[in-house]
Amino acid sequence: SAWLVAGLVNGPVPLKGGLLLPVPVLSLVLLGTDGAGQASLNGIPGGGGPLSVYLQAIITDGGQPAGVGLSNAVRLDLLP
């Protein structure tokens, strides 16, 4: 499983040996993953923009020293 973290601000803070980028957190969503660790986000409506949202995933990973892994963060631009 993975947590998808979303926020409107690129405000990195240290977390579990990495950096959590979207702080303050606007939304935290639990995602189910498949055996390869992949998840899919479907049904995001278009329009309503312009708006930029920063996204990052936190995954459970027993191989990491802190027991979690942080993905790279991305900026999602929602356009009108």
Side-chain angles (χ1 to χ4, degrees), residues 31-75:
L31 297 175
T33 58
D34 64 15
Q38 296 180 345
S40 178
L41 282 175
N42 297 319
I44 298 174
L51 176 68
S52 293
V53 179
Y54 296 91
L55 303 171
Q56 190 170 12
I58 302 172
I59 59 166
T60 304
D61 185 352
Q64 297 294 323
V68 298
L70 300 173
S71 73
N72 291 335
V74 296
R75 186 179 82 190

